[in-house]
Amino acid sequence: MPEIKCPNCGGIFQVDESGYAEIVAQVRTAEFNREITEKRNSFDIEKEQAVKLARLEEKNKAKESISRKDEEIVTLKTRLEHTKTEEAVKAKDALAKKDNEILALKHQLESFKSQLELAVKNAVSDAEKQRDLLSSELEIQKQKHINEENSLKERYEMQLALKDEEVQRYKDFKLRLSTKMLGESLEQHCETEFNRIRMTAFPKAYFEKDNDSSKGNKGDYIFREFDDEGNEIISIMFEMKNQQDETSTKKKNEDFFKKLDKDRNDKACEYAVLVSMLEPESELYNNGIVDVSYQYKKMYVIRPQFFILIITLLRNAALNSMDYKRELAVIRNQNIDITHFEENMESFKNGFSRNFRLASEKFQTAIDEIDKTIDHLQKTKKALLSSENNLRLANDKVQDLTIKKLTKGNSTMKAKFDELKNNG
């Protein structure tokens, strides 16, 4: 909206487009009329001054030539009349010229006024179109936002209704079951889920109820899986816990951790998993698999929907570790082969040393006996024979010692000697 500043007080006023146009027209018309009036008054003053000046000049001339002849007076009068006529003609022409200029200025003013009105009209029209366009876009966005909000509201209301129905169905189902049946239902659910994919996902796995109570207690289910060579890949002790909503004393998951850990250790299982419907409002247990190994080693708490997932995750991790176990076993066997080779060498060395020591002792005994008395020749002969036999046995052991015998049953050392032989 245009603003107008007052030249006297300095105040600023706002007027609409039509009022502003009328004010502009009034100001321009008043200025134009004032300019015409000033020019007309100036022309009249100039004309009067010129007439007065001419008259004064004529008077002076008349006074100077008063003594001249009457003919000159007549001539001067004639000239004076002629001058007046010319001045009148000039004044008329000047007035006509001014009228033409005024008319041209009026035409310019009308043209400018028309252009100004047209520009104001176009500006107002453009502003109205822009306003209508923005209003239309705003209305469209508003309607779109309302539609999205209604759609989102309907979707959440539908999901909430489904949740309410599921909760109600779950409550109705649990009301029809006893406490024992609740636990059995959860166990049956887990067993059914496992059996449904047993042949495709776990063909060599064992998943059965723990019926061994020889140590005073037992868990619910045990999962074990073996590889093609009969090596155990993974073992898990499962405990299933459910609870009726109307039960006065509510149990917590951590109330069963200690017993579950004992069951795992007693049955030599690697992992322990509590499948629980307890603490249904807990955000911790409702978010997924919960690792509680900070309290008990390799123990997890899950909801029933994560039963297959926890088995798959733990089993895949165990399969990955089996490669490292096999490599470690190979290295361990190599160390055992080297140890056996060293033991064989030490056994041979000890036997040979013993035989040599015995032979030396017999030789020394024989020499002593020969030096002492000839009567001991028979004894010496026996000692010599005994020493010869020991030497023969020692020699036989030396001769019988071969690389083939030393490397028998020792694949590592056999490979080493074969490599040396090939290199030689």
Side-chain angles (χ1 to χ4, degrees), residues 77-94:
K77 287 182 179 181
T78 303
R79 290 176 61 188
L80 180 60
E81 291 296 330
H82 182 68
T83 301
K84 287 182 178 180
T85 302
E86 289 180 352
E87 289 179 353
V89 171
K90 290 180 179 180
K92 186 176 180 181
D93 292 341

Side-chain angles (χ1 to χ4, degrees), residues 96-349:
K97 186 177 180 180
K98 292 295 182 183
D99 291 336
N100 291 332
E101 291 178 356
I102 292 171
L103 184 61
L105 290 173
K106 285 184 176 181
H107 286 312
Q108 291 179 2
L109 180 61
E110 292 294 331
S111 177
F112 176 76
K113 185 176 180 181
S114 299
Q115 292 177 0
L116 180 62
E117 290 177 353
L118 181 60
V120 170
K121 185 177 180 181
N122 291 335
V124 172
S125 178
D126 293 340
E128 290 177 349
K129 290 180 180 179
Q130 188 70 18
R131 180 198 63 194
D132 294 339
L133 181 62
L134 291 175
S135 177
S136 178
E137 291 180 355
L138 181 61
E139 189 65 27
I140 292 173
Q141 292 294 332
K142 183 179 179 180
Q143 188 62 39
K144 182 179 179 181
H145 178 70
I146 292 174
N147 293 336
E148 291 178 352
E149 183 178 357
N150 292 334
S151 176
L152 188 63
K153 184 178 179 181
E154 290 176 358
R155 186 172 62 193
Y156 279 114
E157 288 178 351
M158 184 179 298
Q159 291 179 356
L160 185 60
L162 292 175
K163 291 292 184 182
D164 291 340
E165 291 178 1
E166 184 177 355
V167 171
Q168 187 61 39
R169 184 168 60 253
Y170 175 69
K171 287 183 177 180
D172 293 341
F173 171 72
K174 291 175 71 175
L175 284 174
R176 292 193 297 268
L177 299 176
S178 64
T179 304
K180 182 175 184 299
M181 291 177 65
L182 285 170
E184 292 177 351
S185 176
L186 181 57
E187 292 178 3
Q188 187 63 39
H189 165 76
C190 294
E191 186 173 355
T192 302
E193 288 295 310
F194 182 82
N195 290 332
R196 187 167 56 86
I197 62 171
R198 178 195 288 266
M199 294 308 299
T200 56
F202 308 103
K204 297 182 180 180
Y206 164 91
F207 181 73
E208 302 292 340
K209 287 185 68 68
D210 180 18
N211 296 318
D212 181 13
S213 58
S214 59
K215 295 187 178 182
N217 62 302
K218 60 181 181 177
D220 286 338
Y221 280 84
I222 295 178
F223 172 87
R224 295 185 191 274
E225 186 171 7
F226 304 89
D227 61 10
D228 295 334
E229 297 161 357
N231 300 316
E232 182 180 290
I233 299 174
I234 186 175
S235 58
I236 307 173
M237 170 62 71
F238 281 99
E239 185 79 13
M240 285 72 169
K241 289 299 175 184
N242 206 338
Q243 183 171 270
Q244 197 171 13
D245 290 338
E246 288 73 17
T247 304
S248 58
T249 57
K250 301 292 184 180
K251 294 286 186 178
K252 293 185 177 181
N253 289 315
E254 61 184 17
D255 295 338
F256 302 94
F257 290 170
K258 185 175 181 180
K259 177 183 178 300
L260 178 57
D261 185 65
K262 186 177 185 303
D263 293 341
R264 178 180 70 85
N265 292 323
D266 291 343
K267 305 304 166 60
C269 292
E270 184 178 2
Y271 293 95
V273 176
L274 176 63
V275 184
S276 171
M277 292 293 291
L278 306 181
E279 301 181 65
E281 304 300 328
S282 173
E283 293 184 3
L284 173 63
Y285 297 112
N286 289 337
N287 284 333
I289 298 173
V290 180
D291 183 358
V292 293
S293 56
Y294 59 89
Q295 287 184 282
Y296 294 94
K297 183 181 178 181
K298 295 187 177 182
M299 183 178 293
Y300 300 89
V301 180
I302 62 169
R303 294 304 188 196
Q305 61 267 31
F306 299 106
F307 171 68
I308 298 299
L309 178 61
I310 189 67
I311 296 178
T312 304
L313 292 176
L314 295 178
R315 178 236 202 175
N316 291 340
L319 287 174
N320 292 332
S321 66
M322 285 296 292
D323 296 334
Y324 299 106
K325 290 180 180 179
R326 292 190 183 98
E327 294 179 3
L328 183 60
V330 171
I331 295 174
R332 187 182 294 110
N333 290 333
Q334 291 177 355
N335 293 333
I336 292 173
D337 290 342
I338 296 173
T339 303
H340 289 167
F341 177 76
E342 292 177 349
E343 290 176 354
N344 292 335
M345 288 293 294
E346 287 295 326
S347 177
F348 167 75
K349 288 166 61 178

